Amino acid sequence: MSHSPFVTRLGRRALLRKGVLFLAAGTAHAATPMQLFVQEEPAKDTLRVGMLTDLHYADKPPAGTRHYREALTKLEEAALQFARDKPRFVVELGDLIDAADSVETEKKWLARISRDFTQISKDRHCVLGNHCVDILRKEEFLEGVGQKAAHYAFDRDAFHFVVLDACYRSDGKPYERKNFVWTDPNIPAAQVDWLKADLKATDKKVIVFAHQRLDVSDNHAVKNAADVRKVLEGSGKVLAVFQGHSHKNDYKEIGSIHYCTLAAMVEGSGPQNNSYSIMDIEPTGTIRMTGHRRQKGYEWKR
């Protein structure tokens, strides 16, 4: 098994012996064994994707159920599994970092977690979450993760992928420097128009990535989610939407589109409370999602 540079330097905190990972949950914990999941080799023309969300990395003590510093060791475990499964690319669905009390501190936290995340895969994507731009401007966060845009689309093999950015207030102003409330996420009209044109232009099956949810109408929802869903459904090309933000496993099917909410990596202490997944997409549009630790798995056939 080949390893990324990140995996090969785990050293003192993780040991791999005959497929068993001994991973420390933190400096105060003893090593905990984890059997690496033996994922079947994907069928020909199947595209494999690694997914994780809501790491909320911060160098600060736990608050309630959120264990911010443990994002580092939880990400190490995910990196080892991804190195074994070899996804074509990896996507993080928002809130890579947690909020800090200064721009300088938040940039420091971003640099620390980005150092590890950027070594997992050469092909990687970050969705903007509300915590990513709590105090940073979008361009500052994007520079920190080496990404050019907050919303964009790309093709891989037979599939088209769309990354959305709902970190805008109802008045169209972008989130930055604590100028927003987290219950007011919106996808502005210009981005909705861009999405409509992008979906019209592709002849491929489509997967959408978002942070705030598009399938509910509560505090975790994009305010204009119904308008966005109308565009997705109208294209007839969207297979599924993957999202984070509410920190819990959830699933809905609306308008023949699968809406899958992933569990947050930050919730709970220790390896047993980690959460990440591998998605295999077949040319037919069938999606198989293998969840690890707290993340549920799914299979949607077409």
Side-chain angles (χ1 to χ4, degrees):
M1 179 177 71
S2 60
H3 300 296
S4 69
F6 176 43
V7 172
T8 58
R9 66 176 175 79
L10 290 177
R12 289 169 292 184
R13 284 189 288 178
L15 296 174
L16 188 61
R17 297 171 180 165
K18 296 182 179 179
V20 179
L21 169 66
F22 293 86
L23 180 70
T27 55
H29 295 266
T32 301
M34 169 232 173
Q35 184 73 43
L36 286 180
F37 183 83
V38 181
Q39 186 92 356
E40 292 183 3
E41 288 296 319
K44 185 179 180 181
D45 298 327
T46 295
L47 182 65
R48 176 164 285 178
V49 179
M51 295 188 293
L52 61 164
T53 193
D54 290 272
L55 283 72
H56 285 263
Y57 172 70
D59 187 9
K60 61 184 180 182
T65 59
R66 300 184 181 188
H67 294 258
Y68 306 105
R69 292 186 177 117
E70 290 189 28
L72 298 176
T73 48
K74 289 178 178 180
L75 185 58
E76 287 177 348
E77 178 185 309
L80 281 164
Q81 187 68 57
F82 291 164
R84 191 188 200 291
D85 293 339
K86 299 178 177 63
R88 178 72 176 274
F89 66 88
V90 174
V91 59
E92 194 276 325
L93 293 172
D95 286 353
L96 181 65
I97 53 173
D98 203 71
D101 57 5
S102 72
V103 172
E104 181 180 343
T105 299
E106 196 153 305
K107 283 185 175 180
K108 183 179 178 180
W109 293 350
L110 179 59
R112 178 62 188 89
I113 193 67
S114 293
R115 188 181 76 187
D116 292 351
F117 181 67
T118 56
Q119 293 185 66
I120 288 179
S121 174
K122 291 181 180 179
D123 192 354
R124 60 190 178 277
H125 305 268
C126 284
V127 180
L128 256 68
N130 50 296
H131 283 276
C132 298
V133 287
D134 183 87
I135 197 168
L136 297 182
R137 294 192 175 101
K138 292 186 182 185
E139 57 267 27
E140 292 170 334
F141 177 83
L142 293 172
E143 181 181 4
V145 296
Q147 190 166 297
K148 293 181 179 180
H151 75 270
Y152 59 98
F154 60 97
D155 292 338
R156 295 293 181 270
D157 298 341
F159 306 98
H160 186 71
F161 297 90
V162 175
V163 175
L164 295 178
D165 172 18
C167 290
Y168 290 89
R169 304 185 322 198
S170 294
D171 63 3
K173 297 288 185 180
Y175 286 11
E176 63 180 22
R177 302 285 196 264
K178 296 186 181 295
N179 71 340
F180 66 94
V181 292
W182 70 271
T183 55
D184 184 32
N186 299 266
I187 295 179
Q191 190 178 153
V192 175
D193 289 343
W194 167 86
L195 174 63
K196 189 181 300 183
D198 178 77
L199 294 176
K200 184 178 180 180
T202 186
D203 59 356
K204 299 176 183 291
K205 297 179 177 67
V206 178
I207 300 287
V208 175
F209 300 120
H211 179 65
Q212 294 93 337
R213 294 182 59 171
L214 292 169
D215 61 335
V216 292
S217 57
D218 59 18
N219 283 342
H220 291 100
V222 174
K223 286 287 190 68
N224 59 329
D227 295 335
V228 178
R229 289 199 305 268
K230 184 177 179 180
V231 173
L232 301 181
E233 293 167 17
S235 74
K237 301 170 185 177
V238 179
L239 300 175
V241 175
F242 292 92
Q243 51 202 7
H245 194 45
S246 60
H247 288 205
K248 297 180 180 179
N249 287 291
D250 200 5
Y251 167 76
K252 299 179 187 300
E253 184 178 347
I254 304 174
S256 299
I257 297 173
H258 305 287
Y259 290 82
C260 183
T261 304
L262 275 63
M265 190 174 274
V266 72
E267 295 288 343
S269 180
Q272 68 275 16
N273 284 306
N274 206 348
S275 183
Y276 53 97
S277 58
I278 287 286
M279 171 175 60
D280 288 329
I281 319 169
E282 296 182 356
T284 59
T286 290
I287 296 174
R288 293 184 178 86
M289 184 172 155
T290 302
H292 294 282
R293 300 296 195 177
R294 291 188 305 106
Q295 179 56 51
K296 288 185 178 180
Y298 301 93
E299 181 174 0
W300 306 312
K301 292 186 177 182
R302 285 179 69 94

